[in-house]
mmCIF file of all heavy atoms in Angstrom:
data_model
loop_
_atom_site.group_PDB
_atom_site.id
_atom_site.type_symbol
_atom_site.label_atom_id
_atom_site.label_comp_id
_atom_site.label_asym_id
_atom_site.label_seq_id
_atom_site.Cartn_x
_atom_site.Cartn_y
_atom_site.Cartn_z
ATOM 1 N N GLY Y 190 -34.655 6.008 20.915
ATOM 2 C CA GLY Y 190 -34.334 4.740 20.292
ATOM 3 C C GLY Y 190 -35.137 4.572 19.008
ATOM 4 O O GLY Y 190 -36.082 5.328 18.738
ATOM 5 N N ILE Y 191 -34.769 3.594 18.199
ATOM 6 C CA ILE Y 191 -35.438 3.356 16.916
ATOM 7 C C ILE Y 191 -36.066 1.977 16.942
ATOM 8 O O ILE Y 191 -35.413 0.980 17.273
ATOM 9 C CB ILE Y 191 -34.444 3.488 15.752
ATOM 10 C CG1 ILE Y 191 -33.914 4.925 15.687
ATOM 11 C CG2 ILE Y 191 -35.102 3.094 14.428
ATOM 12 C CD1 ILE Y 191 -32.760 5.113 14.722
ATOM 13 N N TYR Y 192 -37.361 1.923 16.591
ATOM 14 C CA TYR Y 192 -38.139 0.686 16.669
ATOM 15 C C TYR Y 192 -38.915 0.502 15.372
ATOM 16 O O TYR Y 192 -39.434 1.469 14.806
ATOM 17 C CB TYR Y 192 -39.097 0.769 17.859
ATOM 18 C CG TYR Y 192 -39.936 -0.455 18.083
ATOM 19 C CD1 TYR Y 192 -39.374 -1.626 18.593
ATOM 20 C CD2 TYR Y 192 -41.300 -0.452 17.798
ATOM 21 C CE1 TYR Y 192 -40.144 -2.757 18.803
ATOM 22 C CE2 TYR Y 192 -42.083 -1.575 18.012
ATOM 23 C CZ TYR Y 192 -41.497 -2.718 18.515
ATOM 24 O OH TYR Y 192 -42.270 -3.849 18.729
ATOM 25 N N GLY Y 193 -38.990 -0.724 14.902
ATOM 26 C CA GLY Y 193 -39.781 -1.033 13.719
ATOM 27 C C GLY Y 193 -41.201 -1.389 14.124
ATOM 28 O O GLY Y 193 -41.486 -2.540 14.430
ATOM 29 N N GLU Y 194 -42.089 -0.408 14.120
ATOM 30 C CA GLU Y 194 -43.474 -0.610 14.540
ATOM 31 C C GLU Y 194 -44.241 -1.354 13.449
ATOM 32 O O GLU Y 194 -44.519 -0.814 12.375
ATOM 33 C CB GLU Y 194 -44.142 0.743 14.813
ATOM 34 C CG GLU Y 194 -45.589 0.656 15.231
ATOM 35 C CD GLU Y 194 -45.776 0.372 16.715
ATOM 36 O OE1 GLU Y 194 -44.774 0.391 17.464
ATOM 37 O OE2 GLU Y 194 -46.928 0.165 17.131
ATOM 38 N N GLY Y 195 -44.542 -2.625 13.713
ATOM 39 C CA GLY Y 195 -45.270 -3.437 12.741
ATOM 40 C C GLY Y 195 -44.449 -3.842 11.541
ATOM 41 O O GLY Y 195 -45.004 -4.328 10.548
ATOM 42 N N LEU Y 196 -43.128 -3.680 11.606
ATOM 43 C CA LEU Y 196 -42.247 -4.027 10.487
ATOM 44 C C LEU Y 196 -41.515 -5.326 10.779
ATOM 45 O O LEU Y 196 -41.323 -5.712 11.939
ATOM 46 C CB LEU Y 196 -41.225 -2.904 10.246
ATOM 47 C CG LEU Y 196 -41.774 -1.502 9.999
ATOM 48 C CD1 LEU Y 196 -40.631 -0.535 9.737
ATOM 49 C CD2 LEU Y 196 -42.769 -1.488 8.840
ATOM 50 N N SER Y 197 -41.072 -5.980 9.732
ATOM 51 C CA SER Y 197 -40.282 -7.199 9.880
ATOM 52 C C SER Y 197 -38.863 -6.852 10.325
ATOM 53 O O SER Y 197 -38.446 -5.694 10.276
ATOM 54 C CB SER Y 197 -40.235 -7.953 8.555
ATOM 55 O OG SER Y 197 -39.593 -7.166 7.557
ATOM 56 N N GLY Y 198 -38.128 -7.835 10.756
ATOM 57 C CA GLY Y 198 -36.707 -7.650 11.033
ATOM 58 C C GLY Y 198 -36.341 -7.412 12.480
ATOM 59 O O GLY Y 198 -35.160 -7.350 12.823
ATOM 60 N N GLY Y 199 -37.325 -7.264 13.363
ATOM 61 C CA GLY Y 199 -37.022 -7.082 14.781
ATOM 62 C C GLY Y 199 -36.195 -5.852 15.090
ATOM 63 O O GLY Y 199 -35.297 -5.890 15.942
ATOM 64 N N ILE Y 200 -36.472 -4.733 14.426
ATOM 65 C CA ILE Y 200 -35.687 -3.504 14.617
ATOM 66 C C ILE Y 200 -35.992 -2.909 15.996
ATOM 67 O O ILE Y 200 -37.143 -2.570 16.294
ATOM 68 C CB ILE Y 200 -36.017 -2.488 13.518
ATOM 69 C CG1 ILE Y 200 -35.685 -3.064 12.145
ATOM 70 C CG2 ILE Y 200 -35.274 -1.172 13.749
ATOM 71 C CD1 ILE Y 200 -36.282 -2.292 10.995
ATOM 72 N N HIS Y 201 -34.962 -2.795 16.815
ATOM 73 C CA HIS Y 201 -35.143 -2.243 18.167
ATOM 74 C C HIS Y 201 -33.763 -1.879 18.713
ATOM 75 O O HIS Y 201 -33.012 -2.738 19.143
ATOM 76 C CB HIS Y 201 -35.820 -3.274 19.078
ATOM 77 C CG HIS Y 201 -36.239 -2.699 20.401
ATOM 78 N ND1 HIS Y 201 -36.999 -3.423 21.296
ATOM 79 C CD2 HIS Y 201 -36.021 -1.493 20.985
ATOM 80 C CE1 HIS Y 201 -37.228 -2.683 22.379
ATOM 81 N NE2 HIS Y 201 -36.630 -1.510 22.203
ATOM 82 N N HIS Y 202 -33.460 -0.587 18.653
ATOM 83 C CA HIS Y 202 -32.135 -0.117 19.075
ATOM 84 C C HIS Y 202 -32.306 1.035 20.063
ATOM 85 O O HIS Y 202 -32.957 2.037 19.754
ATOM 86 C CB HIS Y 202 -31.317 0.343 17.865
ATOM 87 C CG HIS Y 202 -31.121 -0.726 16.839
ATOM 88 N ND1 HIS Y 202 -30.272 -1.790 17.027
ATOM 89 C CD2 HIS Y 202 -31.692 -0.908 15.611
ATOM 90 C CE1 HIS Y 202 -30.307 -2.576 15.968
ATOM 91 N NE2 HIS Y 202 -31.160 -2.056 15.093
ATOM 92 N N ARG Y 203 -31.721 0.900 21.243
ATOM 93 C CA ARG Y 203 -31.810 1.912 22.284
ATOM 94 C C ARG Y 203 -30.532 1.875 23.105
ATOM 95 O O ARG Y 203 -29.950 0.810 23.295
ATOM 96 C CB ARG Y 203 -33.031 1.671 23.170
ATOM 97 C CG ARG Y 203 -33.083 0.281 23.756
ATOM 98 C CD ARG Y 203 -34.470 -0.163 24.142
ATOM 99 N NE ARG Y 203 -34.978 0.466 25.355
ATOM 100 C CZ ARG Y 203 -36.163 0.190 25.899
ATOM 101 N NH1 ARG Y 203 -36.983 -0.682 25.309
ATOM 102 N NH2 ARG Y 203 -36.560 0.776 26.992
ATOM 103 N N ASN Y 204 -30.065 3.019 23.577
ATOM 104 C CA ASN Y 204 -28.799 3.031 24.310
ATOM 105 C C ASN Y 204 -28.954 3.421 25.780
ATOM 106 O O ASN Y 204 -27.961 3.605 26.486
ATOM 107 C CB ASN Y 204 -27.761 3.914 23.620
ATOM 108 C CG ASN Y 204 -28.270 5.312 23.313
ATOM 109 O OD1 ASN Y 204 -29.187 5.811 23.949
ATOM 110 N ND2 ASN Y 204 -27.648 5.957 22.318
ATOM 111 N N PHE Y 205 -30.202 3.547 26.253
ATOM 112 C CA PHE Y 205 -30.431 3.704 27.687
ATOM 113 C C PHE Y 205 -31.850 3.283 28.017
ATOM 114 O O PHE Y 205 -32.721 3.210 27.149
ATOM 115 C CB PHE Y 205 -30.188 5.152 28.155
ATOM 116 C CG PHE Y 205 -31.303 6.118 27.845
ATOM 117 C CD1 PHE Y 205 -32.345 6.319 28.745
ATOM 118 C CD2 PHE Y 205 -31.315 6.836 26.661
ATOM 119 C CE1 PHE Y 205 -33.373 7.204 28.472
ATOM 120 C CE2 PHE Y 205 -32.342 7.729 26.386
ATOM 121 C CZ PHE Y 205 -33.378 7.905 27.289
ATOM 122 N N ASP Y 206 -32.096 2.995 29.279
ATOM 123 C CA ASP Y 206 -33.427 2.720 29.797
ATOM 124 C C ASP Y 206 -33.714 3.652 30.965
ATOM 125 O O ASP Y 206 -32.815 3.938 31.772
ATOM 126 C CB ASP Y 206 -33.545 1.277 30.316
ATOM 127 C CG ASP Y 206 -33.487 0.246 29.220
ATOM 128 O OD1 ASP Y 206 -33.899 0.550 28.089
ATOM 129 O OD2 ASP Y 206 -33.030 -0.879 29.506
ATOM 130 N N PHE Y 207 -34.957 4.100 31.092
ATOM 131 C CA PHE Y 207 -35.383 4.764 32.312
ATOM 132 C C PHE Y 207 -35.455 3.740 33.447
ATOM 133 O O PHE Y 207 -35.778 2.564 33.223
ATOM 134 C CB PHE Y 207 -36.762 5.393 32.132
ATOM 135 C CG PHE Y 207 -36.754 6.683 31.369
ATOM 136 C CD1 PHE Y 207 -37.280 6.753 30.083
ATOM 137 C CD2 PHE Y 207 -36.231 7.839 31.933
ATOM 138 C CE1 PHE Y 207 -37.283 7.935 29.377
ATOM 139 C CE2 PHE Y 207 -36.231 9.031 31.231
ATOM 140 C CZ PHE Y 207 -36.753 9.080 29.948
ATOM 141 N N LEU Y 208 -35.204 4.204 34.645
ATOM 142 C CA LEU Y 208 -35.422 3.376 35.826
ATOM 143 C C LEU Y 208 -36.758 3.785 36.449
ATOM 144 O O LEU Y 208 -37.676 4.132 35.726
ATOM 145 C CB LEU Y 208 -34.242 3.519 36.777
ATOM 146 C CG LEU Y 208 -32.888 3.073 36.175
ATOM 147 C CD1 LEU Y 208 -31.756 3.254 37.175
ATOM 148 C CD2 LEU Y 208 -32.950 1.627 35.696
ATOM 149 N N ASP Y 209 -36.881 3.747 37.760
ATOM 150 C CA ASP Y 209 -38.189 3.964 38.387
ATOM 151 C C ASP Y 209 -38.554 5.433 38.541
ATOM 152 O O ASP Y 209 -39.615 5.755 39.078
ATOM 153 C CB ASP Y 209 -38.249 3.267 39.747
ATOM 154 C CG ASP Y 209 -37.179 3.761 40.711
ATOM 155 O OD1 ASP Y 209 -36.297 4.531 40.282
ATOM 156 O OD2 ASP Y 209 -37.217 3.365 41.888
ATOM 157 N N ALA Y 210 -37.708 6.327 38.087
ATOM 158 C CA ALA Y 210 -37.996 7.764 38.134
ATOM 159 C C ALA Y 210 -37.441 8.409 36.881
ATOM 160 O O ALA Y 210 -36.460 7.942 36.294
ATOM 161 C CB ALA Y 210 -37.382 8.400 39.383
ATOM 162 N N VAL Y 211 -38.056 9.516 36.496
ATOM 163 C CA VAL Y 211 -37.655 10.187 35.259
ATOM 164 C C VAL Y 211 -36.238 10.735 35.326
ATOM 165 O O VAL Y 211 -35.605 10.988 34.296
ATOM 166 C CB VAL Y 211 -38.670 11.294 34.933
ATOM 167 C CG1 VAL Y 211 -38.543 12.443 35.921
ATOM 168 C CG2 VAL Y 211 -38.523 11.783 33.510
ATOM 169 N N THR Y 212 -35.719 10.907 36.530
ATOM 170 C CA THR Y 212 -34.363 11.438 36.713
ATOM 171 C C THR Y 212 -33.291 10.353 36.649
ATOM 172 O O THR Y 212 -32.103 10.674 36.702
ATOM 173 C CB THR Y 212 -34.257 12.143 38.068
ATOM 174 O OG1 THR Y 212 -34.687 11.239 39.095
ATOM 175 C CG2 THR Y 212 -35.115 13.390 38.101
#
Side-chain angles (χ1 to χ4, degrees):
I191 296 171
Y192 182 73
E194 179 83 8
L196 304 182
S197 62
I200 300 166
H201 190 173
H202 301 287
R203 54 203 286 182
N204 52 24
F205 78 90
D206 291 331
F207 282 109
L208 299 180
D209 59 352
V211 70
T212 54

